[in-house]
Amino acid sequence: MKSNFEEKTYESYFNNELDRKSQVYFPPGQVLEGSLGFDSSSFSKNRKLWRRLGHPYWFHPDFEGAPLREVADEMEHFLGREISNLPNMKANILFQYKRPEFITSKKGKEWKHWNKPYFRYDIYKEQQIILNQIHDKFNSKVLVVYASPCTKDVNELIHLRKDIIKHSNFAKAVDLNGHHKNTYVKSGTYSIACSDPSRVESLNITEAIETLGSLNYEERTDNSEFIINFGRNIESIINKYQYLSESFADLNEEAHKVKDYKLFYNFLMMSNFRKVTGTQWIAKL
């Protein structure tokens, strides 16, 4: 039985609670969209479109457009100013959100491990390879985690929205290597990854974040450098991986035009990383 809510809904509630509890900062998606104040942009001379928008024209549209470099210049200034006002970033977390199935039949392949109804989500090989490469690249400096709710019903999800972390299952991505599914029955306990069954101990996400934030990092001058360096490393990992590199390059085609604006460019690039992999990057302050 598939959960009757969208993965994006769970992700939104999870991020909102994490923001309240842990003073987190969302560089790639939410911050960029919030700073720009719009969800998408385009340049069009289509008369029908402009007529629908209430600005018909005969020869030239009323709005001639602004060069991308002018937008980038403004955003580089704005983002730099906002980031400089934040405390130093201390921890990196990558969350891969999963919407589970709820298995109620004894015919479920993993039923024998639980002997009662359980939750299950897929571990996609290509996605797992990327997460594992990121783990290997950053080692103890980045926490790469699968997060999945312990509910199948949208009404319950909404009811739990202010306490969703407590009602989620967490597993380190590195612990799921070689498996194609992960199963669990409730939060705060172990899960069983399959097909070759392997017990995966529960991860206390709050403690893990605090531990990661207390580690000593190499000296860095400011938050801008922190974001730029992290973005560059992620970009290098994706570009080496043939399965995703072409799609990633297509999404970054416009971003490369403003590559000289290092901060703005890395925000765009990490936003595209999220689109390609479905992975949310969070930096804890």
Side-chain angles (χ1 to χ4, degrees):
M1 179 191 303
K2 282 286 187 181
S3 302
N4 64 354
F5 55 83
E6 295 298 321
E7 196 171 274
K8 190 72 176 179
T9 306
Y10 168 63
E11 176 184 337
S12 177
Y13 289 149
F14 185 96
N15 288 344
N16 287 339
E17 184 185 350
L18 199 57
D19 191 16
R20 292 193 305 271
K21 289 187 174 181
S22 303
Q23 290 184 288
V24 294
Y25 178 58
F26 302 88
Q30 290 92 329
V31 169
L32 188 58
E33 292 164 7
S35 298
L36 288 170
F38 53 80
D39 294 321
S40 64
S41 63
S42 69
F43 179 80
S44 176
K45 290 186 177 181
N46 186 289
R47 287 189 174 88
K48 290 183 179 179
L49 174 61
W50 280 108
R51 189 177 300 115
R52 283 183 173 274
L53 295 174
H55 293 277
Y57 71 93
W58 285 103
F59 299 106
H60 302 288
D62 295 340
F63 303 91
E64 62 182 21
L68 183 58
R69 284 193 170 273
E70 288 186 14
V71 176
D73 188 61
E74 179 62 26
M75 285 307 303
E76 187 80 0
H77 172 73
F78 175 82
L79 293 171
R81 184 184 65 209
E82 292 298 307
I83 290 171
S84 65
N85 290 331
L86 294 171
N88 283 341
M89 296 177 182
K90 296 184 294 184
N92 266 341
I93 311 108
L94 290 173
F95 282 106
Q96 183 67 62
Y97 298 101
K98 290 291 186 178
R99 183 180 69 157
E101 296 178 273
F102 189 59
I103 309 301
T104 59
S105 170
K106 292 183 180 180
K107 295 181 180 180
K109 291 183 178 180
E110 301 81 15
W111 183 275
K112 60 186 177 183
H113 303 305
W114 299 107
N115 291 313
K116 58 183 174 181
Y118 61 95
F119 294 97
R120 179 179 72 190
Y121 61 80
D122 293 325
I123 303 166
Y124 300 112
K125 178 182 176 181
E126 308 297 346
Q127 193 177 65
Q128 180 65 22
I129 289 173
I130 287 291
L131 297 180
N132 192 51
Q133 288 179 344
I134 292 172
H135 171 81
D136 290 343
K137 175 75 175 181
F138 294 101
N139 200 359
S140 61
K141 296 179 182 178
V142 175
L143 181 63
V144 188
V145 178
Y146 282 96
S148 184
C150 298
T151 179
K152 64 183 185 301
D153 182 69
V154 65
N155 293 309
E156 186 177 12
L157 182 71
I158 292 172
H159 178 71
L160 297 172
R161 68 188 184 279
K162 294 182 180 180
D163 203 22
I164 196 64
I165 293 176
K166 180 180 177 181
H167 293 88
S168 293
N169 172 271
F170 299 99
K172 292 182 180 179
V174 68
D175 290 339
L176 301 184
N177 281 339
H179 299 287
H180 66 269
K181 293 184 185 295
N182 193 32
T183 65
Y184 58 96
V185 293
K186 59 182 179 179
S187 61
T189 60
Y190 67 94
S191 58
I192 297 178
C194 301
S195 56
D196 185 13
S198 176
R199 177 171 171 140
V200 178
E201 294 302 325
S202 174
L203 176 68
N204 186 316
I205 193 65
T206 304
E207 288 183 2
I209 291 173
E210 292 302 322
T211 299
L212 189 62
S214 66
L215 296 176
N216 291 322
Y217 291 88
E218 66 273 14
E219 290 295 324
R220 55 178 180 269
T221 56
D222 55 28
N223 289 333
S224 295
E225 182 181 349
F226 178 82
I227 290 172
I228 292 169
N229 288 339
F230 185 72
R232 284 173 175 169
N233 280 313
I234 292 294
E235 183 179 22
S236 69
I237 291 171
I238 298 293
N239 286 337
K240 291 177 183 177
Y241 187 44
Q242 187 175 1
Y243 179 74
L244 292 178
S245 59
E246 186 174 340
S247 297
F248 189 62
D250 286 344
L251 286 175
N252 282 329
E253 186 175 353
E254 289 297 312
H256 279 289
K257 295 178 181 178
V258 294
K259 199 167 185 176
D260 291 341
Y261 300 87
K262 296 180 180 180
L263 190 57
F264 183 45
Y265 170 76
N266 277 280
F267 268 72
L268 290 172
M269 193 275 301
M270 286 301 298
S271 180
N272 289 333
F273 163 74
R274 182 184 177 192
K275 292 174 184 176
V276 168
T277 65
T279 305
Q280 172 69 63
W281 170 33
I282 295 173
K284 180 181 180 295
L285 306 180

